Amino acid sequence: MKILVVGGGGREHAIIKKLKENPAVEEIFALPGNGGIAADAVCTGIGAKDLDGIVAFARENGIDYAVVAPDDPLVLGCVDALEAAGVPCFGPRKNAAIIEGSKVFSKDLMKKYGIPTAAYEVFSDPAEALKYLETAPVPTVVKADGLALGKGVTVAMTREEAFGAVREIMEDKKFGASGDRIVIEEYLEGPEVSVLSFTDGTTLVPMVSSMDHKRAGDGDTGPNTGGMGTIAPNPYYTEAVAAECMEKIFLPTIRAMKTEGREFRGCLYFGLMITKDGSKVIEYNCRFGDPETQVVLPLLESDLLTVMQAVTAGKLAECEVKFRDASACCLVLASAGYPGSYGKGYEITIPENVRHNVYVAGAALKDGKLVTSGGRVLGITAVADTLPEAVKGAYALAEQVTFGNKYFRTDIGRRALDCQRQKSQGL
Ligand code: AMP
Ligand code: GLY
């Protein structure tokens, strides 16, 4: 089989490595891929948002199956375009990807179907939003309606911060048309859990739970990033929480989407907060998370391509999806300065014995050498029987990879380990 994977980050590298485990896979093309992915797939340089280019490539190269991984092409309708060209795809169609593409849509969906989430108001007029904020409780959360490279959310601890966020999004148009409308929502507290799921629109199978670490600095300080590391499974996601989420959130969400005529097929990502009043949805993503995928897929025991094809065919109920009873930790090695400005072009050395564990996110090939080209350069994942071993293993591997300006958090997994310790002491 010839497979096409749209995207070019660590998540896509993890998907590609997993797909390659199936012997029926002859060739994988990454659109665009990156310098590190080039070791595992043919990288094409065709951009993930170039729908015409993607469809033309699929036609010319006799692609049998496509996986569309990033949010932008999904929201733009990449799956619809490929399907129209006769290429079966993993990923939601445009009318279902809106669950991530519009926060107003997802909040209204949850309200209509009684799915637990933070209370909210929607505004399309900045003056009205600012007036509302004069008396709204703080902290509060301001969210741009549309996609904003993961930067559209401000958790405002003060009224001034909230005013600033509204002005930036709606008046300065920091995220363009994504900020034509905003959601202002109730501030929730509690541990966060990411749950990725496979769903064909009727059946939903949650993957192993995970925990992201979004802030740049140790102790969850500094600016928000795309994610500095992940662990799986997430110890806050107990069996009781899992059962509650399945009954009150996961199944109601896919049923709601079906009822709305927007059947969701692909990976549906639930960003959850476990609050005192139960589990609530913080956000939906219409795709695999990054860097959650880099801990979730290494724990998948079943064949990824088989599961994906079952999702596409609407036959997930007939497919076994098994995860290893083990733990994983992914450390993101970044360029110092990220998510602000940072230097690029430093040579990366990855010893042979570590290659298997590395998912490259921001690197290019220059004169045959791999050099840094992005803020998040690569992720390193260790899998072990226990979480403490996985965390230790990932840090040991990270020491062996070198490049100029290398930066990583030194406390990935600490909260999870504390939670595990407390649980084992019956606290
Ligand atoms: P997002 O960009 O949607 O992933 O949101 C970024 C982060 O903002 C989330 O991971 C949460 O930590 C935080 N956040 C979003 N919504 C809320 C909320 N209603 N209350 C508290 N924190 C929130
Ligand atoms: N790691 C969060 C996301 O993929 O949106």
Side-chain angles (χ1 to χ4, degrees):
M1 273 181 85
K2 284 184 170 186
I3 298 188
L4 172 163
V5 174
V6 176
R11 164 186 54 203
E12 287 76 13
H13 202 176
I15 291 171
I16 287 167
K17 282 192 173 184
K18 199 75 192 172
L19 288 172
K20 277 179 72 176
E21 290 177 9
N22 184 319
V25 174
E26 297 156 65
E27 207 165 18
I28 302 186
F29 299 92
L31 284 69
N34 68 45
I37 291 177
D40 292 290
V42 178
C43 296
T44 61
I46 295 170
K49 290 199 266 184
D50 176 5
L51 300 200
D52 291 342
I54 293 167
V55 169
F57 183 91
R59 279 214 171 98
E60 283 157 22
N61 292 278
I63 296 297
D64 300 298
Y65 191 67
V67 178
V68 183
D71 47 2
D72 279 307
L74 288 167
V75 170
L76 288 169
C78 190
V79 167
D80 310 56
L82 282 164
E83 281 179 349
V87 181
C89 289
F90 182 84
R93 293 180 184 154
K94 183 177 180 171
N95 73 349
I98 191 174
I99 199 164
E100 175 171 4
S102 167
K103 295 219 191 286
V104 174
F105 170 86
S106 67
K107 295 297 291 190
D108 288 350
L109 183 86
M110 288 187 270
K111 190 191 234 174
K112 181 168 171 188
Y113 291 91
I115 297 165
T117 189
Y120 71 103
E121 299 286 337
V122 176
F123 297 94
S124 49
D125 175 358
E128 275 177 31
L130 293 168
K131 185 157 168 256
Y132 168 80
L133 279 174
E134 278 171 19
T135 53
V138 281
T140 187
V141 185
V142 180
K143 302 185 171 185
D145 176 41
L147 296 182
L149 298 168
K151 296 185 183 125
V153 174
T154 300
V155 179
M157 301 315 285
T158 64
R159 222 169 282 287
E160 275 58 47
E161 258 183 279
F163 288 146
V166 169
R167 290 199 182 101
E168 270 187 1
I169 298 172
M170 301 191 90
E171 293 177 353
D172 307 343
K173 293 274 172 214
K174 190 173 174 189
F175 308 114
S178 284
D180 288 349
R181 289 188 296 174
I182 58 167
V183 170
I184 299 183
E185 72 176 29
E186 173 197 9
Y187 173 76
L188 298 177
E189 279 178 288
E192 286 183 57
V193 179
S194 305
V195 178
L196 283 57
S197 68
F198 291 110
T199 178
D200 60 7
T202 306
T203 302
L204 179 141
V205 181
M207 299 183 218
V208 61
S209 62
S210 55
M211 184 193 288
D212 195 2
H213 297 69
K214 287 202 167 133
R215 300 295 197 95
D218 283 356
D220 294 324
T221 56
N224 255 317
T225 70
M228 294 300 294
T230 39
I231 58 95
N234 185 326
Y236 288 104
Y237 192 69
T238 60
E239 271 178 39
V241 171
E244 177 204 2
C245 289
M246 187 58 123
E247 184 200 329
K248 299 202 168 131
I249 296 176
F250 303 164
L251 293 176
T253 300
I254 59 162
R255 286 184 196 130
M257 290 296 280
K258 203 170 180 176
T259 307
E260 295 289 314
R262 297 173 182 274
E263 187 178 71
F264 190 105
R265 285 190 186 186
C267 171
L268 183 54
Y269 167 133
F270 299 88
L272 305 165
M273 201 172 267
I274 318 297
T275 76
K276 285 197 305 292
D277 308 321
S279 303
K280 298 193 178 180
V281 177
I282 288 281
E283 62 164 346
Y284 291 116
N285 290 327
C286 65
R287 52 173 174 86
F288 283 97
D290 189 343
E292 285 90 342
T293 305
Q294 292 90 309
V295 283
V296 169
L297 289 188
L299 293 174
L300 178 65
E301 210 165 76
S302 310
D303 175 60
L304 178 61
L305 179 61
T306 306
V307 178
M308 285 181 157
Q309 288 181 304
V311 165
T312 305
K315 293 187 171 164
L316 184 58
E318 298 164 28
C319 184
E320 189 188 47
V321 185
K322 258 184 89 178
F323 283 85
R324 277 179 63 182
D325 184 14
S327 295
C329 173
C330 173
L331 291 185
V332 170
L333 307 191
S335 301
Y338 170 74
S341 58
Y342 49 82
K344 298 180 189 177
Y346 297 102
E347 188 176 341
I348 306 169
T349 44
I350 307 172
E352 196 53 46
N353 63 309
V354 183
R355 278 180 196 279
H356 171 72
N357 305 70
V358 168
Y359 304 111
V360 179
L365 283 170
K366 198 174 165 205
D367 304 328
K369 288 181 179 157
L370 195 62
V371 300
T372 63
S373 69
R376 292 193 293 176
V377 176
L378 54 88
I380 283 196
T381 298
V383 173
D385 286 343
T386 67
L387 186 60
E389 288 170 290
V391 172
K392 210 168 148 198
Y395 276 101
L397 291 170
E399 288 304 322
Q400 299 185 53
V401 172
T402 60
F403 56 86
N405 240 2
K406 179 172 110 175
Y407 168 79
F408 54 96
R409 274 181 62 164
T410 65
D411 65 345
I412 300 300
R414 190 168 296 163
R415 272 189 87 184
L417 292 173
D418 287 346
C419 169
Q420 256 194 353
R421 224 169 285 125
Q422 285 172 1
K423 272 207 303 203
S424 69
Q425 292 165 358
L427 297 176

